[in-house]
């Protein structure tokens, strides 16, 4: 797909996210909008996946450890053809296969259950060790939040990833600076996250998290004998001016007026 | 007119009031102060509020450290992450040494709704009930939530207060007693006794009304305390009614239903049934739809009562 088309695609995915949340009147817009390009780089450019065969043995694994951002994941999975687009509008409703947080038992294309922060990245690390043991050449990608890194589990998994020299394991940080109660700095300052991953033994790269090309380059940069960490500098609520950089939009659905304003700003139609 | 309010709002307000009276009360949260409503306390007493970030295990051990230093910490997060993620910290650092830590954990049960099974704690009571010396309160309305907070502060040792998210009507009165470990009879009856807790109280009262239409006089008892459980009340009501149905927004394994069964076993010949989540995980949906899907309804409670009377 051409670059221009992907830029348009990003807008479409953002509009889909908003429609999903508006329809069920719950969910997490801020962190969904901030990781759109990160997920797109994987699903449209880098990862070896086959939507017609979601359980393909040698597929790359993608774990959205910050599981509350799953509307972004679901919009992309639908666009890739893992399930019908109209399913998106059943998000979070009774008996939908699209749960409030990712569920591998229900949704095709979901590789691990997440939602309890810290666990996804650890599960992903385990998959990477398993790949080494099985001499399989798939890669494992985990997307984590900058509030999520406050969980000790994240660092326990980082320690193990370096120990087992997991050069098939990539941790991508959605560095939007905000969590529920405010900025990371205010709630529990974690300092320089990339420096910490570096100290744990990761190969680290920093990129603009809304620059698809830059993310793709970072993903493709070769590493050997070390896990990789990509610090994606992002804007929480990206693409909708009144949601951008506003922690109040972490877990709140838009009203009708807000929804219409957001769609207008994105400049795309949301068709069934 | 009785006030309707979310229990978490009542919890936040009670903490502020308690904090005014007792300067040793400190409040901790794990990046959910805007959801557990401890942000009211944070605004009132910023020097006594500690946000630990998304690090529940650390928060619970720190709470033990606070308690060992003479403070009375109220640690809050979602029920799932408090009792689940930090379970072993609660067991060894708090319960094992009877540390004076209180956890007001919100968003308990299926009533979390849309967030889905990953966020619906339906085994938290079971986890906490297994710990010696733990007190467990499950308030049913805003007034009872406030009383639970004040009662917790009076107890020397760990107390779990299970705080549900939905807005609920006040069904108790300021004069309704709240004695830890003493169940309250909310409605008298002699044919069957519905023993309920938390959000299932109004549902149980509706079930009793349904049964009344069929000439069955059901008692309804409010178990605001799950541990220590009021065995005297359970045995007396079982003796009197000959049939007991428990109702809880929790798994039937390890919660109120189990606690009552443990008291009845070997001591009562009363017939017995449990309404609750039948050994399943939750899922996404509106709270009301989930209550219906999992049988947490007045109709189901009434049906269970009737089947015991046949
Ligand atoms: C173990 C755990 N604790 C608490 C929560 C509640 N919670 C959901 S999202 C969130 C904030 C996440 O912040 P961040 O990782 O920065 O995500 P983003 O900004 O990308 O949305 C919290 C505390 C949770 N889901 N899991
Ligand atoms: Mg963040």
């Amino acid at each position: 797909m051409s670059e221009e088309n992907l830029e348009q695609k990003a807008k479409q995915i953002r509009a889909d996210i908003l429609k999903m949340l508006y329809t069920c009147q719950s969910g997490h817009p801020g962190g969904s909008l901030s990781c759109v390009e990160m997920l797109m780089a994987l699903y449209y450019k880098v990862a070896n996946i086959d939507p017609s065969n979601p359980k393909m043995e040698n597929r790359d694994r993608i774990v959205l450890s910050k599981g509350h951002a799953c509307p972004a994941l679901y919009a992309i999975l639908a666009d890739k053809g893992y399930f019908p687009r109209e399913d998106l509008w059943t998000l979070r409703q009774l008996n939908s296969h699209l749960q409030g947080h990712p569920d591998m038992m229900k949704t095709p294309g979901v590789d691990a259950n997440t939602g309890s922060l810290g666990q996804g990245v650890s599960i992903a690390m385990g998959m990477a060790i398993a790949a080494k043991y099985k001499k399989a050449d798939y890669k494992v990608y985990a997307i984590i939040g900058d509030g999520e890194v406050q969980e000790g589990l994240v660092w326990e998994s980082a320690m193990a990833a370096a120990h087992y020299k997991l050069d098939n394991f990539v941790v991508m940080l959605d560095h939007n600076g905000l969590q529920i109660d405010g900025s990371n700095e205010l709630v529990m300052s974690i300092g320089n996250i990339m420096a910490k991953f570096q100290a744990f033994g990761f190969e680290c790269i920093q990129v603009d998290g809304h620059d698809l090309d830059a993310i793709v380059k970072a993903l493709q940069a070769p590493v050997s004998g070390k896990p990789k960490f990509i610090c994606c500098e992002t804007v929480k609520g990206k693409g909708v001016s009144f949601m951008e950089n506003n922690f109040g939009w972490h877990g709140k659905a838009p009203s009708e007026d807000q929804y219409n304003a957001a769609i207008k700003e994105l400049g795309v139609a949301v068709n069934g | 007119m009785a006030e309707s309010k979310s229990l978490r709002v009542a919890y936040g307000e009670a903490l502020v009031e308690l904090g005014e009276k007792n300067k040793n009360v400190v409040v901790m949260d794990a990046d959910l102060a805007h959801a557990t409503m401890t942000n009211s306390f944070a605004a009132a007493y910023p020097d006594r509020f500690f946000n630990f970030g998304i690090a529940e295990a650390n928060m619970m051990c720190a709470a033990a450290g606070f308690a060992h230093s003479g403070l009375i910490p109220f640690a809050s997060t979602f029920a799932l992450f408090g009792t689940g993620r930090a379970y072993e910290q609660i067991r060894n650092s708090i319960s094992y040494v009877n540390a004076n830590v209180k956890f007001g954990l919100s968003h308990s049960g299926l009533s979390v709704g849309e967030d889905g099974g990953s966020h619906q704690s339906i085994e938290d009571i079971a986890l906490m009930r297994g710990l010696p010396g733990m007190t467990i309160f499950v308030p049913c309305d805003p007034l009872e939530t406030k009383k639970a907070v004040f009662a917790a502060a009076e107890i020397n040792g760990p107390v779990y207060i299970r705080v549900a998210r939905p807005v609920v009507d006040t069904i108790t009165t300021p004069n309704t007693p709240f004695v830890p470990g003493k169940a309250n009879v909310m409605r008298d009856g002699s044919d069957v006794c519905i023993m309920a807790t938390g959000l299932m109280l109004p549902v149980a009262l509706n079930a009793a009304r349904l049964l009344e239409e069929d000439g069955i006089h059901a008692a309804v008892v409010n178990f605001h305390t799950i541990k220590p459980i009021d065995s005297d009340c359970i045995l007396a009501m079982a003796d009197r009614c000959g049939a007991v149905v428990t109702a809880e927004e929790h798994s039937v394994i390890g919660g109120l239903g189990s606690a009552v069964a443990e008291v009845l076993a070997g001591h009562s010949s009363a017939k017995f049934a449990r309404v609750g989540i039948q050994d399943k995980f939750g899922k996404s949906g509106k709270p009301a739809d989930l209550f219906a899907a999992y049988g947490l309804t007045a109709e189901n409670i009434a049906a269970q009562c009737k089947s015991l009377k046949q």
Side-chain angles (χ1 to χ4, degrees):
Chain A
M1 214 180 293
S2 78
E3 294 316 308
E4 209 171 301
N5 283 345
L6 279 177
E7 223 171 273
Q8 196 57 27
K9 177 83 72 192
K11 287 192 174 152
Q12 184 67 57
I13 286 160
R14 287 196 161 88
D16 290 351
I17 291 169
L18 292 163
K19 180 170 172 184
M20 293 163 81
L21 301 188
Y22 172 62
T23 305
C24 68
Q25 278 301 299
S26 70
H28 301 85
S32 301
L33 294 169
S34 67
C35 65
V36 168
E37 283 82 8
M38 295 167 65
L39 284 165
M40 284 180 69
L42 291 170
Y43 281 97
Y44 294 92
K45 289 286 197 180
V46 175
N48 172 32
I49 47 165
D50 178 2
S52 66
N53 184 10
K55 296 261 176 233
M56 181 173 72
E57 184 70 25
N58 209 40
R59 72 187 184 283
D60 288 342
R61 271 65 168 173
I62 300 170
V63 177
L64 184 62
S65 193
K66 39 165 280 185
H68 58 280
C70 58
L73 173 66
Y74 297 158
I76 289 171
L77 290 176
D79 185 60
K80 296 293 288 184
Y82 282 89
F83 50 79
R85 180 174 163 75
E86 55 265 27
D87 293 1
L88 293 178
W89 323 129
T90 68
L91 174 73
R92 289 177 160 247
Q93 293 166 38
L94 194 66
N95 300 329
S96 171
H97 73 83
L98 299 178
Q99 293 290 293
H101 293 81
D103 191 330
M104 63 187 289
M105 310 283 283
K106 294 196 161 96
T107 309
V110 169
D111 284 322
N113 277 44
T114 54
S116 179
L117 294 168
Q119 297 194 15
V121 62
S122 188
I123 298 168
M125 178 273 300
M127 290 170 167
I129 297 180
K132 290 272 181 198
Y133 169 70
K134 294 193 298 182
K135 301 206 173 1
D137 63 3
Y138 63 80
K139 287 196 162 54
V140 187
Y141 302 94
I143 294 177
I144 62 173
D146 50 10
E148 183 176 15
V149 298
Q150 292 157 352
E151 286 287 357
L153 190 46
V154 171
W155 303 103
E156 294 174 33
S157 73
M159 172 173 69
H163 178 79
Y164 287 107
K165 302 186 174 39
L166 300 181
D167 50 14
N168 57 348
F169 180 51
V170 181
V171 174
M172 301 169 77
L173 175 73
D174 184 347
H175 200 208
N176 59 31
L178 300 178
Q179 49 194 101
I180 289 186
D181 285 338
S183 68
N184 306 147
E185 223 24 60
L186 183 90
V187 175
M188 177 53 68
S189 44
I190 173 88
N192 186 332
I193 301 171
M194 187 158 100
K196 289 185 168 66
F197 270 91
Q198 200 144 26
F200 268 83
F202 280 60
E203 190 71 43
C204 294
I205 309 171
Q206 188 175 26
V207 297
D208 173 346
H210 300 301
D211 179 342
L212 202 61
D213 262 353
I215 304 170
V216 169
K217 273 204 200 85
L219 284 166
Q220 288 169 338
V223 277
S224 137
K226 279 180 163 192
K228 190 194 284 185
F229 174 82
I230 305 175
C231 186
C232 301
E233 299 300 338
T234 57
V235 172
K236 197 153 178 168
K238 175 75 178 175
V240 180
S241 50
F242 60 89
M243 292 185 179
E244 285 188 0
N245 290 314
N246 182 344
F247 75 90
W249 282 101
H250 172 83
K252 186 173 79 173
S255 68
E256 185 175 358
D257 286 351
Q258 290 164 335
Y259 171 68
N260 289 331
I263 296 298
K264 191 163 165 217
E265 186 178 341
L266 287 166
V268 287
V270 199
N271 302 318
Chain B
M1 185 53 209
E3 204 183 357
S4 301
K5 192 185 272 185
S6 167
L7 301 190
R8 59 188 173 133
V9 172
Y11 174 68
E13 292 172 354
L15 287 179
V16 173
E17 223 176 286
L18 178 67
E20 168 78 43
K21 297 200 167 77
N22 189 337
K23 303 290 177 231
N24 280 333
V25 168
V26 299
V27 172
M28 318 163 77
D29 208 302
D31 192 33
L32 284 166
H34 284 73
T36 63
M37 295 300 170
T38 59
N39 60 356
S40 338
F41 189 96
Y45 315 108
D47 60 326
R48 280 191 274 153
F49 173 79
F50 302 91
N51 203 327
F52 276 77
I54 311 170
E56 297 80 7
N58 188 45
M59 176 174 72
M60 284 303 177
C61 286
F66 281 2
H68 294 345
S69 314
L71 300 177
I72 308 174
F74 277 73
S76 290
T77 172
F78 286 176
L80 191 96
F81 308 129
T83 64
R85 175 69 65 98
Y87 173 74
E88 199 259 339
Q89 282 76 16
I90 292 176
R91 183 198 185 273
N92 273 327
S93 293
I94 296 172
S95 172
Y96 194 27
V97 294
N98 199 45
N100 197 21
V101 175
K102 324 297 168 189
F103 349 105
L105 304 178
S106 73
H107 294 62
S108 55
L110 284 183
S111 53
V112 170
E114 289 88 345
D115 271 352
S118 63
H119 283 55
Q120 293 161 351
S121 69
I122 53 174
E123 60 286 309
D124 50 310
I125 297 175
L127 284 169
M128 293 299 108
R129 212 166 66 81
L131 297 174
M134 183 67 67
T135 298
I136 305 173
F137 294 146
V138 184
C140 70
D141 74 3
L143 265 181
E144 213 171 61
T145 305
K146 180 176 165 182
K147 291 175 190 168
V149 168
F150 278 78
E154 292 298 316
I155 291 169
N156 180 30
V159 179
Y160 170 33
I161 308 174
R162 189 185 207 231
V163 182
R165 184 172 80 148
V167 172
V168 295
D169 293 338
T170 300
I171 56 174
T172 63
T173 72
N175 297 329
T176 311
F178 186 90
V179 181
K182 274 222 77 54
N184 290 337
V185 177
M186 310 248 314
R187 178 192 165 109
D188 228 345
S190 51
D191 293 334
V192 57
C193 180
I194 306 170
M195 301 184 174
T197 191
L199 297 190
M200 291 307 286
L201 247 302
V203 184
L205 289 166
N206 283 339
R209 273 173 224 125
L210 292 178
L211 289 164
E212 199 64 47
E213 288 166 17
D214 292 328
I216 299 173
H217 308 298
V220 175
V221 181
N222 175 7
F223 280 78
H224 52 67
T225 309
I226 307 288
K227 189 176 187 177
I229 194 79
D230 190 347
S231 332
D232 291 347
C233 171
I234 294 170
L235 291 173
M237 294 308 284
D239 199 32
R240 171 146 168 234
C241 301
V244 171
V245 173
T246 56
E248 61 194 313
E249 188 205 3
H250 183 273
S251 171
V252 292
I253 298 175
L256 174 66
S258 291
V260 171
E262 288 157 17
V263 172
L264 291 177
H267 296 280
S268 169
S269 55
K271 291 188 170 178
F272 178 62
R274 293 168 300 165
V275 170
I277 298 146
Q278 304 291 330
D279 200 15
K280 282 181 192 145
F281 284 109
K283 58 184 170 188
S284 290
K286 291 196 169 48
D289 293 345
L290 290 166
F291 272 46
Y294 285 81
L296 306 183
T297 59
E299 290 72 19
N300 186 33
I301 295 174
Q304 298 294 327
C305 290
K306 277 189 199 164
S307 74
L308 295 189
K309 293 310 287 181
Q310 255 148 34

